[in-house]
Amino acid sequence: DQQVKQNSPSLSVQEGRISILNCDYTNSMFDYFLWYKKYPAEGPTFLISISSIKDKNEDGRFTVFLNKSAKHLSLHIVPSQPGDSAVYFCAASTHRSGRRALTFGSGTRLQVQP
Amino acid sequence: DGGITQSPKYLFRKEGQNVTLSCEQNLNHDAMYWYRQDPGQGLRLIYYSQIVNDFQKGDIAEGYSVSREKKESFPLTVTSAQKNPTAFYLCASSTGFKNSGANVLTFGAGSRLTVL
């Protein structure tokens, strides 16, 4: 049972435009959501997180939006840069069980064209 | 610089052999994790440890074993019982229960295991 889903395996945008990466989840117990960026043959690096009590969190070019009723979140990158080309993973966790390890989606490969 | 060191970066194994992947952190984090990544898939949790001398199975623990004798170290052994061990293995750490906010994991650079 995949609790965190990223239904778009890839996305291509032009440099300077907005990139929107989407993520859906099924577990209503999740109380934190995180986005990670990953280059090939490297470990993921943390980008931004959001608490389930918020609907928006912004950090520079990166903004995450959360729609709890739809169990959907999205990462907006504005403006997109060629260096943003990577695989982006959505992840979620809950404090309400003993397990606080992150559950990851399958990732979306973003290609930013110069 | 604080971080997580995984070794070896590349490892080849013959079928039927056990191998151990090393993971060391100097971030003073309590919690450590092992994930596996397969092509086109997300990261799947193998084992995690919240404190020294304690660890729990993740979603795909069969064929793997771990130990947590020191806070800094969390080695993963891929045993011959693991049916499909060829994958990219990622170790991570976090402050764990000490942090009431988002559980931000810091990852190592990964180890790629290929079974010949």
Side-chain angles (χ1 to χ4, degrees):
Chain A
D1 176 32
Q2 206 174 354
Q3 299 185 61
V4 178
K5 299 177 186 179
Q6 294 177 258
N7 293 317
S8 298
S10 64
L11 173 68
S12 183
V13 299
Q14 289 294 120
E15 181 178 4
R17 305 294 289 268
I18 184 171
S19 295
I20 300 176
L21 298 110
N22 294 304
C23 178
D24 298 295
Y25 63 95
T26 57
N27 188 347
S28 57
M29 302 263 287
F30 287 142
D31 45 20
Y32 281 96
F33 302 90
L34 300 84
W35 285 93
Y36 279 80
K37 174 181 180 179
K38 186 181 181 301
Y39 294 115
E42 293 184 11
T45 54
F46 170 71
L47 277 176
I48 191 168
S49 65
I50 188 167
S51 163
S52 60
I53 63 172
K54 308 261 186 182
D55 55 19
K56 177 182 174 181
N57 188 26
E58 190 172 351
D59 183 1
R61 296 186 298 115
F62 301 94
T63 302
V64 56
F65 295 92
L66 175 62
N67 182 335
K68 275 189 73 174
S69 60
K71 292 191 173 68
H72 177 84
L73 63 153
S74 60
L75 174 68
H76 293 211
I77 306 174
V78 183
S80 300
Q81 300 172 354
D84 295 330
S85 298
V87 177
Y88 289 78
F89 289 99
C90 172
S93 70
T94 174
H95 282 68
R96 292 175 228 175
S97 68
R99 165 174 160 163
R100 293 196 61 213
L102 298 180
T103 300
F104 285 84
S106 55
T108 297
R109 181 178 302 278
L110 173 66
Q111 183 72 36
V112 180
Q113 307 286 351
Chain B
D1 281 340
I4 298 180
T5 301
Q6 288 187 241
S7 62
K9 192 166 179 65
Y10 299 97
L11 184 61
F12 296 89
R13 184 193 95 176
K14 291 182 180 179
E15 280 195 36
Q17 288 181 335
N18 293 353
V19 294
T20 297
L21 306 180
S22 169
C23 178
E24 303 278 332
Q25 56 102 355
N26 60 4
L27 299 166
N28 198 32
H29 282 169
D30 288 316
M32 297 188 74
Y33 312 81
W34 275 104
Y35 285 87
R36 165 180 172 146
Q37 186 188 17
D38 293 284
Q41 295 195 35
L43 282 63
R44 293 184 290 166
L45 182 66
I46 305 172
Y47 266 98
Y48 63 105
S49 167
Q50 304 279 22
I51 54 172
V52 175
N53 293 322
D54 186 52
F55 50 83
Q56 286 80 41
K57 292 182 179 180
D59 300 317
I60 55 165
E62 185 176 350
Y64 299 98
S65 66
V66 293
S67 62
R68 187 85 188 277
E69 297 176 2
K70 297 187 301 181
K71 186 176 184 177
E72 303 78 20
S73 179
F74 191 40
L76 173 74
T77 297
V78 185
T79 76
S80 57
Q82 168 51 231
K83 298 292 183 228
N84 193 13
T86 294
F88 189 55
Y89 291 88
L90 287 157
C91 179
S93 70
S94 74
T95 54
F97 284 119
K98 284 183 181 175
N99 184 0
S100 60
N103 188 26
V104 178
L105 272 58
T106 300
F107 283 87
S111 293
R112 182 165 299 282
L113 172 63
T114 302
V115 174
L116 304 172

